Amino acid sequence: DYDHVYRSVYLPSRRLARHPYMATFDGPDTNECAENRKVSTVPLQSLFWMNSDFIQTNAQSFAEKVLANGSGAEERIAFAFETAFARSPEESEINELTAFLESYQKEIATDPDKESRAWTSLCRVLLASNEFVYID
């Protein structure tokens, strides 16, 4: 493993040992040449994406930006959607996410950093959503 912040295309590729992340995401076999790569989506990819340190770190940074932009939940959700999806949220999405934030903060009521944790969780969901990951 190489400690990096670059896209995988810039990483050195060892022929005898496959990178574990590339194996999870069906990266190319480094021992053979191929003109096309197979396309697949498996549950392990989603689980890795949701629970990886990379997503957690980026969700925290995203949450800090969201908290700094706007004073209320609706305003912050709108900013998060504009940033992540380049669109405004629908009314139903605002209602669902506001309810999520309220219930999550009730669950962790004793945590002094409950607002930040709730928004980090919401941002992690946005970053792991199909709309963010796939381009239609």
Side-chain angles (χ1 to χ4, degrees), residues 11-65:
L11 290 178
S13 180
R14 294 177 294 174
R15 293 211 176 264
L16 298 177
R18 218 170 152 188
H19 193 282
Y21 300 139
M22 296 302 277
T24 301
F25 289 95
D26 289 332
D29 184 354
T30 55
N31 291 315
E32 62 184 51
C33 294
E35 62 186 51
N36 292 322
R37 286 181 51 193
K38 63 182 178 179
V39 176
S40 69
T41 305
V42 295
L44 268 180
Q45 294 169 349
S46 296
L47 291 170
F48 171 80
W49 191 252
M50 269 301 274
N51 297 308
S52 71
D53 291 337
F54 175 78
I55 289 296
Q56 181 62 30
T57 301
N58 283 286
Q60 286 174 335
S61 296
F62 188 23
E64 289 170 10
K65 288 179 185 176

Side-chain angles (χ1 to χ4, degrees), residues 19-117:
H19 193 282
Y21 300 139
M22 296 302 277
T24 301
F25 289 95
D26 289 332
D29 184 354
T30 55
N31 291 315
E32 62 184 51
C33 294
E35 62 186 51
N36 292 322
R37 286 181 51 193
K38 63 182 178 179
V39 176
S40 69
T41 305
V42 295
L44 268 180
Q45 294 169 349
S46 296
L47 291 170
F48 171 80
W49 191 252
M50 269 301 274
N51 297 308
S52 71
D53 291 337
F54 175 78
I55 289 296
Q56 181 62 30
T57 301
N58 283 286
Q60 286 174 335
S61 296
F62 188 23
E64 289 170 10
K65 288 179 185 176
V66 169
L67 286 168
N69 286 283
S71 56
E74 283 189 34
E75 202 175 324
R76 289 173 176 166
I77 290 170
F79 175 79
F81 267 67
E82 286 291 335
T83 304
F85 306 138
R87 69 171 179 89
S88 298
E90 296 175 8
E91 191 66 34
S92 61
E93 292 169 324
I94 292 173
N95 294 336
E96 285 181 39
L97 294 176
T98 303
F100 166 77
L101 288 168
E102 290 171 2
S103 70
Y104 191 80
Q105 287 183 18
K106 283 180 186 174
E107 280 186 37
I108 57 170
T110 58
D111 189 336
D113 201 21
K114 65 183 176 187
E115 183 179 41
S116 177
R117 278 187 57 196

